[in-house]
Amino acid sequence: MKKILYTLFGLFLSLSLFSQKKNSDKPNVIIIYIDDMGYGDLEPYGMTGIRTPNFNKLATQGARFTNFESAQPICTASRTALLTGCYPNRIGMSGVLLPWDKYALNPKETTIASMLKNNGYKTALVGKWHLGNTAPYLPLSYGFDEFYGIKYSHDIWPVDYDGHSIVTDEKDMRSKFPQLEIYEGNAPVETIKNIDQAGKLTTIFTERAVKYIKDNKKEPFFLYLAHPLPHAPLAVSDKFKGKSKSGLFGDVIMELDWSLGQIMETLKKENLEENTLIIVASDNGPWLKFGNHAGSSGGLREGKSTTFEGGNRVPFFIKWPGHIPAGDINGELFTNMDILPTIAAVTGAKLPENKIDGINYLPFLTGKVQDTPREVMYYYFGINANYLEAIRYKNWKLVFPHDYMSYTGSQGRDGVPGKQTKKTAVLALYDLAHDPGETYDVSALYPEIMKKMTDYAQEARADLGDDLTGKAPVNVRPHANYN
């Protein structure tokens, strides 16, 4: 009898050790998502006057893409695309959530967090959420074990542009905003009342992320670090205030570079570097109306809230030692919707049952295939609308007639925004390989490309609809509604 018990115990121990080894072999996943960082805001993408040594290091240790696109150029929609692998309008999450909105990402949708949690991962969100305003539509309902951060952008507060005065003019939407609160799980634990207090956000979120890595180093984990900055209003800690040669904006970028360095150094010290996939990207382009308190689109046209390249195209880094070639610079099309299925392939996780729009890039990233898996992207946008404003095919971009708010002519200064101008885009074809600034319409020269892209647009409208042409959506799913 004792011999049988010893045998059973040994078998149980072996299975347990095997299970632990299997878990330890699963790569950790870290996504660092930076708010409103423009295509040209970092040295690897051409920024001058602001040193970014840790982003530079990441660029040499991993791969950097020069044609990485956000599915939509605004906060809520971009985060929806990242976490679900879907066009935001497919699941009812276009535009941007405000505090009084009574809708949220449907908890029935699979997120990267819920996908990995079902695959044995610990999961945490540190930083900005912006996919629901109240429990049960906060991160803990979407696969995250932990949440420490803010519910939405840090400019959604009743504080004026000076960073201290309370807005009292009832005609100003900001007068109706609640105080900005930091949440732990589903409950507020601290209030951010002015710009000086907001200056600690990058530091405290970095420190919390570092602690999470150390506390969970023995199990596979997913960390989503969603920095609120450099979204306006700019705020920086005392240790970086006045440190750059490019004013407050430069100080903020330097602190974000420090934050990345803290994460990378922690992984190295904890012997996790070789078994961790790191992804760093921005949610959309710079909010140019804030002038010297906004970033750079790197010469691309327009910025945030427009579907020109300055709004959708953002910096993107990906590092997985021993799998993704170090120092690779890639100019192929890649979108934030493609991150979920790529992570699923990396970790062996099960893909969502519902239709997604993302494509697995792992074979391409690791060099097993030479051709990019994505050739087409739809540029949908609209606040409370569903406009197909442009479509991309390889290096070609076809822009459809639509109204947009341009930053040309009036930019702000020192935290006070300028006024945007309403303009109308005309039908135009751009060759982004030769004209990334979308300046020269070549539609008359390439009728065959026009025909091909028009066909792709018809496919998009038949699937996701288009308010510009009066086409109703077909294959869409509802967001969550509440009272």
Side-chain angles (χ1 to χ4, degrees), residues 5-17:
L5 289 173
Y6 282 132
T7 301
L8 289 173
F9 176 76
L11 180 62
F12 172 79
L13 183 61
S14 297
L15 288 171
S16 176
L17 291 172

Side-chain angles (χ1 to χ4, degrees), residues 78-97:
S78 173
R79 289 155 207 278
T80 296
L82 170 73
L83 288 178
T84 68
C86 296
Y87 281 110
N89 47 325
R90 186 176 298 286
I91 52 180
M93 292 297 289
S94 295
V96 60
L97 274 172

Side-chain angles (χ1 to χ4, degrees), residues 86-391:
C86 296
Y87 281 110
N89 47 325
R90 186 176 298 286
I91 52 180
M93 292 297 289
S94 295
V96 60
L97 274 172
L98 293 175
W100 43 79
D101 288 325
K102 301 296 184 180
Y103 70 95
L105 178 65
N106 197 321
K108 293 180 181 179
E109 298 293 342
T110 300
T111 67
I112 294 174
S114 59
M115 177 183 76
L116 291 180
K117 185 173 182 177
N118 289 335
N119 194 32
Y121 278 69
K122 297 291 186 181
T123 60
L125 165 54
V126 178
K128 174 179 164 181
W129 170 235
H130 219 165
L131 296 179
N133 292 327
T134 186
Y137 303 108
L138 296 178
L140 300 190
S141 298
Y142 298 85
F144 289 100
D145 298 318
E146 298 181 24
F147 169 49
Y148 179 75
I150 54 179
K151 295 190 295 183
Y152 32 63
S153 304
H154 69 289
D155 69 328
I156 299 179
W157 62 347
V159 181
D160 209 345
Y161 297 123
D162 64 6
H164 295 276
S165 305
I166 299 299
V167 178
T168 57
D169 182 358
E170 294 183 358
K171 296 179 182 179
D172 190 324
M173 179 173 63
R174 296 174 299 161
S175 69
K176 301 177 178 62
F177 286 159
Q179 291 283 355
L180 180 68
E181 296 175 313
I182 295 177
Y183 271 64
E184 178 91 49
N186 289 333
V189 293
E190 186 176 350
T191 300
I192 303 296
K193 297 181 179 180
N194 56 54
I195 201 67
D196 295 331
Q197 293 176 359
K200 68 181 182 180
L201 291 176
T202 298
T203 292
I204 63 172
F205 291 155
T206 301
E207 291 172 347
R208 184 60 173 257
V210 166
K211 182 178 185 302
Y212 181 81
I213 293 169
K214 292 179 177 180
D215 290 348
N216 292 275
K217 62 185 178 183
K218 294 183 179 180
E219 300 179 77
F221 64 80
F222 167 49
L223 170 63
Y224 175 35
L225 173 56
H227 280 299
L229 291 146
H231 188 299
L234 294 182
V236 71
S237 68
D238 289 340
K239 62 182 176 292
F240 283 95
K241 194 173 293 183
K243 296 297 184 182
S244 82
K245 297 178 181 179
S246 297
L248 183 55
F249 183 81
D251 299 345
V252 170
I253 295 297
M254 286 184 65
E255 185 162 26
L256 289 167
D257 183 79
W258 164 84
S259 173
L260 172 63
Q262 293 294 296
I263 300 300
M264 294 172 68
E265 185 63 25
T266 300
L267 292 174
K268 186 175 183 178
K269 287 182 178 178
E270 300 297 335
N271 296 316
L272 298 172
E273 184 178 21
E274 298 300 312
N275 196 39
T276 300
L277 174 72
I278 299 180
I279 291 170
V280 180
S282 174
D283 64 340
N284 47 247
W287 207 0
L288 295 175
K289 73 176 183 179
F290 280 92
N292 65 335
H293 277 209
S296 164
S297 59
L300 302 175
R301 185 172 173 180
E302 296 288 352
K304 174 181 179 174
S305 297
T306 78
T307 49
F308 294 106
E309 289 301 286
N312 288 74
R313 196 189 302 191
V314 294
F316 176 79
F317 306 84
I318 184 166
K319 174 189 173 184
W320 190 22
H323 300 273
I324 297 173
D328 186 34
I329 302 173
N330 200 299
E332 299 295 334
L333 178 62
F334 195 173
T335 80
N336 62 351
M337 296 177 289
D338 303 320
I339 291 176
L340 181 147
T342 300
I343 288 175
V346 167
T347 61
K350 183 181 177 182
L351 284 169
E353 294 183 2
N354 287 328
K355 176 181 174 60
I356 66 171
D357 300 289
I359 303 172
N360 172 22
Y361 265 66
L362 184 60
F364 180 71
L365 289 168
T366 55
K368 292 181 179 178
V369 301
Q370 298 303 310
D371 295 330
T372 178
R374 176 181 292 280
E375 292 185 338
V376 177
M377 174 185 158
Y378 309 144
Y379 292 73
Y380 276 94
F381 188 59
I383 306 298
N384 301 317
N386 185 41
Y387 299 139
L388 179 62
E389 295 184 349
I391 192 165

